[in-house]
Amino acid sequence: MPSFLLEVGTEELPASFLSSAISQWKSRIPHTLEENSLTYDAVEVYGTPRRLAVLIKGLPSQQADREEEIKGPPAQAAFKDGNPTPAAQGFAKKQGVEVSALEVRPTEKGDFVFVRKVTRGRPVAEIITELVPQWIFKLEGKRLMRWGDGDKTFSRPIRWLVALLDEAVLPIELDNGSETVKSNRISQAHRVLHPEPITIPNATDYVTTLRSASVVVDTDERVNTITQQVKESVQKLGGYAEIYPDLLQEVTNLVEFPSAVIGKFESEFLNLPTEVITTVMVSHQRYFPVFQSSNTKDLLPNFVTISNGDPTKSDIIAVGNERVIRARLADGRFFYDADLEKPLESFLPQLETVTFQEDLGSLLKKVNRICKIAEQITEQLQLSEKERENIQRAALLCKADLVSQMVYEFPELQGVMGQKYALASGEEEAVATAIFEHYLPRSADDILPETLTGQVVGLADRLDTLVSIFGLGMIPTGSSDPFALRRAANAVVNITWTAHLPINLQQLLEKVATDFASEYHKDRNQLVAGLEEFFLQRIRTLLQEEKHIDYDLVNAVLGENDREYTERALKDLLDVGDRATFLQKIRANGTLDNIYETVNRSTRLAAQGDLDTKQLDPKAIVRKELFQKSSEEAFYNAIVELVPQTQAAQQSRDYGQLVTALEQITPTVSNFFDGAESVLVMDPNPEIKRNRLNLLGLLRNHARVLADFGAIVKNL
């Protein structure tokens, strides 16, 4: 069975585009083959900085013939007195058949005309020729460019094209204005190690042929090679290298024939903070730092870089890289020493010159808002005077390092340098740590702040951003979220859950929104409503995607169009998380099934009544003199006994005791419905009916302390 090779040769591609393009082709090419009824054994996608390639193995020689049955007009419209009408003739012409090929068959809606149509399969070469330009020019990416005088775009100019169906060249032309790239079997090898073009004899020879020309086209192979070479290099130095995933992916996509090169720098630079050195190496130079061991942050005066040059010239390559890193570290030392000449607090006035957002003013204005919100959180948490002082100090200084020379040059070090400059300025350790921690988490897989001071300042910072940006109407839509508001809201919820902070988010949103609406003349109620809905969406997403709670259980704790539940969730984030996790647990161990039928049946019937959902005590609303069966008395007594257990569960959030109590009451309720002393809930007497509905409403209300059982799906 034929194999097809496509190689798109280009000028050097950005590493980020190469990763994305490989991923897109791995998804898109199999999909388009299947759309065209082409089977295959394997689709292998390769890429280096100068090429993007796909090898499709096990293709058929041509599509299989396709037989389809097409329904036409009603028979009475297609034939009159046995003769075809224009409707029949038009249908036959459209399908490319004679009128005699039409068949009349009965359907549920009467007799209709049908035609059996066989579409002959096309040669695979013909189909692939049509698909290749789509594969190339439908790739998505940032900053695609035009080249020549054409209007087609790609990440970088396309310089050659290889298209082989087994050993035969598949003639494909990519026209771009006056420039045309025609396919052949000639590829370009490594610029330095094999500067001459190379001929690919057969599609399946692609990987081995390019490897012989010092080009490793398989990204996984390059990853493994780089990883192994880095480890071997640091072993020679007696050190340890952390293989940062992002750095590994980037350098993999920057080289065609990787070779590790060991470099060194003066040990005096080790006096710089480790984070400065590693940022220079990793983010700016794409070097792997060398640590003294796996359990220390202390560095050796060495680095490992991945070269795309001649391995025999490693010494020369090392010297060039050493010259660059020395200059970068010297700059870092200058910035660090200059910043340390004055205390961190002295940077605050400069924040007035930096704009946070055009309509929201400067960073200094934002800092003032953060301080106010942090104070509101402090009041909710009823913290000590010392804790309040640390939080206010950290809030005041949390953005000061943004105008330091070091962070201006290396923005990745925001917070990191703030912590170090705070300590150097004599600030409390709790304050310094919070300056760093308030940025956490910086990404979806980052750590959360561990100190109370860092947690409170981090919450205040994000709440200010959320309220302010929402207040300006810049609400995230689709994938557009330029201010990372979804991530900010996720962080607020996750920090609260992880740190077990008993904050009332609804109250905070109302206070912050009120201040914002007053200053910027916005609709306060509309702003609060939008923020509440946004947070409820994030809570729902986090419960389902991160805590893996079933969707119906999430509905049960957040409520479906039930304001009581949504308010409860926003007022007590800890409670909503605990209840969702608890429900998932009792579903898994079967306890939920034990109470589901009884509670759910009661909930459905109770909807026919008018009992307030917050009423728990039966004594004030159930009339014992209306009881007609002993099951009613038993039901009533069971509810009376349930009251203190439910109240205890509310106070302690130990919902296990509530569920145990509901399990114990289940037989009593079952007897009320179906036992020897069962009753007709919807009694003709309206007073008796209301009394019985109140009993069921009380049971529903006790269960509602945990969740809305009406939203739970049985045996999910």
Side-chain angles (χ1 to χ4, degrees):
M1 299 179 75
S3 294
F4 172 69
L5 168 69
L6 170 67
E7 183 188 62
V8 183
T10 69
E11 300 291 350
E12 268 73 7
L13 295 167
S16 58
F17 175 81
L18 184 57
S19 294
S20 173
I22 290 172
S23 177
Q24 290 179 61
W25 267 15
K26 284 182 177 179
S27 171
R28 182 173 297 163
I29 290 178
H31 180 68
T32 55
L33 293 175
E34 290 160 9
E35 281 185 332
N36 285 273
S37 302
L38 293 179
T39 59
Y40 56 89
D41 291 338
V43 174
E44 300 170 358
V45 182
Y46 303 110
T48 77
R50 298 180 68 202
R51 72 203 74 228
L52 186 63
V54 60
L55 177 61
I56 307 171
K57 297 179 179 178
L59 286 164
S61 298
Q62 69 176 45
Q63 286 175 315
D65 294 342
R66 186 173 73 256
E67 182 176 328
E68 55 185 332
E69 186 175 80
I70 302 171
K71 182 181 178 182
Q76 63 181 10
F79 294 96
K80 187 174 183 179
D81 299 328
N83 297 315
T85 66
Q89 294 169 349
F91 175 63
K93 182 179 180 181
K94 181 179 180 181
Q95 302 306 322
V97 299
E98 298 295 328
V99 173
S100 59
L102 302 182
E103 302 176 20
V104 176
R105 275 188 272 141
T107 72
E108 293 179 355
K109 296 183 178 181
D111 292 348
F112 277 77
V113 170
F114 288 83
V115 63
R116 289 183 179 275
K117 185 177 178 182
V118 176
T119 304
R120 299 298 178 188
R122 299 164 62 200
V124 69
E126 183 180 315
I127 298 170
I128 292 291
T129 300
E130 294 176 359
L131 291 177
V132 164
Q134 299 176 33
W135 293 344
I136 296 172
F137 293 115
K138 285 192 176 182
L139 282 171
E140 299 175 355
K142 296 180 179 179
R143 294 182 291 277
L144 299 182
M145 62 179 292
R146 292 185 176 91
W147 70 99
D149 55 2
D151 58 3
K152 288 187 172 65
T153 61
F154 200 68
S155 180
R156 291 294 183 271
I158 296 175
R159 296 308 189 199
W160 75 89
L161 194 68
V162 175
L164 296 178
L165 192 61
D166 285 341
E167 71 281 353
V169 174
L170 201 61
I172 298 174
E173 293 186 4
L174 300 180
D175 294 320
N176 193 24
S178 61
E179 290 192 18
T180 299
V181 179
K182 297 182 179 181
S183 62
N184 55 35
R185 63 175 72 251
I186 307 301
S187 179
Q188 300 299 316
H190 195 282
R191 286 190 186 276
V192 176
L193 300 175
H194 196 293
E196 302 84 14
I198 188 167
T199 301
I200 303 172
N202 189 295
T204 54
D205 296 331
Y206 178 64
V207 175
T208 54
T209 301
L210 267 292
R211 184 182 288 111
S212 70
S214 300
V215 176
V216 180
V217 295
D218 189 334
T219 52
D220 289 340
E221 184 179 345
R222 296 203 303 279
V223 164
N224 294 334
T225 299
I226 292 170
T227 302
Q228 184 62 32
Q229 288 186 0
V230 170
K231 289 180 178 179
E232 291 174 354
S233 297
V234 297
Q235 285 176 358
K236 295 177 183 177
L237 298 169
Y240 166 81
E242 183 175 346
I243 309 296
Y244 303 101
D246 290 345
L247 175 60
L248 177 61
Q249 183 183 58
E250 185 175 13
V251 297
T252 297
N253 291 333
L254 290 173
V255 298
E256 294 194 316
F257 190 79
S259 60
V261 175
I262 298 174
K264 62 182 184 298
F265 57 89
E266 287 74 11
S267 57
E268 65 191 62
F269 287 119
L270 294 177
N271 293 327
L272 281 168
T274 299
E275 294 86 351
V276 173
I277 301 173
T278 56
T279 297
V280 169
M281 289 187 182
V282 175
S283 299
H284 293 261
Q285 299 307 124
R286 304 181 185 92
Y287 299 164
F288 291 91
V290 183
F291 294 90
Q292 293 182 11
S293 68
S294 60
N295 55 9
T296 181
K297 288 187 176 182
D298 294 331
L299 292 164
L300 292 175
N302 299 98
F303 61 88
V304 178
T305 185
I306 303 302
S307 169
N308 193 40
D310 186 348
T312 63
K313 304 293 196 307
S314 291
D315 290 345
I316 298 174
I317 296 170
V319 169
N321 281 275
E322 289 167 356
R323 188 182 304 115
V324 173
I325 193 67
R326 187 179 297 115
R328 296 292 284 173
L329 291 176
D331 287 344
R333 182 169 57 187
F334 173 81
F335 299 140
Y336 185 59
D337 291 342
D339 289 339
L340 286 177
E341 290 178 357
K342 53 185 180 180
L344 182 60
E345 186 175 10
S346 66
F347 289 106
L348 287 176
Q350 291 177 251
L351 292 177
E352 185 62 50
T353 66
V354 181
T355 301
F356 166 58
Q357 195 279 336
E358 183 179 1
D359 296 318
L360 297 173
S362 68
L363 276 176
L364 185 59
K365 195 171 182 180
K366 178 177 175 62
V367 165
N368 292 333
R369 294 195 301 267
I370 293 173
C371 289
K372 186 173 182 179
I373 299 170
E375 179 62 29
Q376 292 167 348
I377 298 173
T378 302
E379 290 174 359
Q380 276 198 9
L381 298 178
Q382 298 181 337
L383 302 180
S384 68
E385 183 62 24
K386 183 60 178 176
E387 289 170 327
R388 190 196 69 78
E389 289 176 2
N390 285 341
I391 288 170
Q392 279 299 301
R393 188 65 178 170
L396 179 67
L397 298 175
C398 68
K399 305 297 182 184
D401 68 333
L402 295 181
V403 289
S404 67
Q405 293 192 53
M406 182 69 81
V407 175
Y408 181 83
E409 183 70 19
F410 303 113
E412 307 94 325
L413 292 173
Q414 64 179 12
V416 173
M417 299 316 299
Q419 178 182 23
K420 296 186 181 303
Y421 293 156
L423 290 172
S425 302
E427 300 289 344
E428 295 270 359
E429 185 172 346
V431 172
T433 301
I435 293 172
F436 165 70
E437 286 191 335
H438 92 282
Y439 284 108
L440 303 178
R442 294 159 295 191
S443 62
D445 55 355
D446 199 9
I447 61 174
L448 295 172
E450 296 181 356
T451 68
L452 178 61
T453 308
Q455 291 157 0
V456 172
V457 177
L459 291 175
D461 184 16
R462 290 172 175 87
L463 287 172
D464 171 67
T465 298
L466 283 158
V467 173
S468 299
I469 301 301
F470 252 79
L472 296 178
M474 300 179 183
I475 301 171
T477 57
S479 60
S480 176
D481 189 6
F483 286 91
L485 299 186
R486 294 187 184 96
R487 192 171 70 194
N490 287 351
V492 169
V493 177
N494 277 326
I495 290 171
T496 303
W497 280 345
T498 304
H500 302 287
L501 299 177
I503 65 170
N504 184 330
L505 180 60
Q506 184 184 55
Q507 185 184 84
L508 282 174
L509 292 177
E510 290 176 348
K511 285 185 176 180
V512 181
T514 298
D515 292 341
F516 178 88
S518 175
E519 180 175 356
Y520 290 90
H521 308 292
K522 301 293 182 179
D523 186 326
R524 179 258 191 202
N525 293 335
Q526 182 180 348
L527 176 54
V528 171
L531 286 163
E532 288 183 350
E533 179 59 30
F534 186 70
F535 265 103
L536 287 169
Q537 291 173 1
R538 304 324 304 161
I539 294 169
R540 184 180 299 277
T541 298
L542 291 173
L543 287 174
Q544 290 184 218
E545 296 182 1
E546 292 191 7
K547 291 186 176 290
H548 309 293
I549 309 297
D550 295 335
Y551 80 94
D552 63 319
L553 302 183
V554 175
N555 290 338
V557 296
L558 290 180
E560 295 181 293
N561 302 316
D562 190 328
R563 184 63 183 173
E564 183 180 326
Y565 276 108
T566 56
E567 286 185 353
R568 181 177 171 188
L570 293 171
K571 287 178 179 177
D572 195 341
L573 292 177
L574 297 182
D575 180 62
V576 74
D578 287 348
R579 286 187 291 121
T581 304
F582 177 73
L583 281 172
Q584 192 69 47
K585 176 183 176 182
I586 63 173
R587 166 168 278 170
N589 64 26
T591 304
L592 184 59
D593 291 337
N594 297 338
I595 62 174
Y596 176 81
E597 285 291 353
T598 300
V599 175
N600 191 265
R601 187 176 181 184
S602 301
T603 298
R604 291 197 308 270
L605 281 168
Q608 304 295 319
D610 57 3
L611 184 66
D612 188 323
T613 55
K614 295 184 179 180
Q615 179 63 253
L616 296 177
D617 191 350
K619 295 177 182 178
I621 50 95
V622 175
R623 295 168 58 187
K624 296 173 64 176
E625 70 272 13
L626 294 177
F627 292 161
Q628 294 182 326
K629 297 285 185 72
S630 60
S631 61
E632 293 175 278
E633 181 79 31
F635 195 161
Y636 174 85
N637 292 333
I639 292 291
V640 171
E641 294 178 5
L642 185 58
V643 171
Q645 294 170 295
T646 301
Q647 291 172 338
Q650 285 178 308
Q651 292 293 324
S652 64
R653 291 214 296 267
D654 178 9
Y655 296 107
Q657 59 182 315
L658 173 59
V659 169
T660 299
L662 291 174
E663 283 186 291
Q664 293 170 350
I665 202 175
T666 295
T668 302
V669 182
S670 297
N671 187 50
F672 175 83
F673 281 130
D674 304 311
E677 289 290 306
S678 63
V679 302
L680 176 64
V681 175
M682 309 304 283
D683 192 273
N685 184 322
E687 294 297 321
I688 294 175
K689 181 178 92 169
R690 188 170 189 271
N691 213 45
R692 290 170 179 170
L693 286 174
N694 281 344
L695 282 171
L696 296 173
L698 286 163
L699 178 58
R700 173 203 62 194
N701 293 352
H702 282 268
R704 276 178 64 87
V705 170
L706 174 58
D708 176 9
F709 276 73
I712 298 176
V713 179
K714 183 181 179 182
N715 296 325
L716 188 68

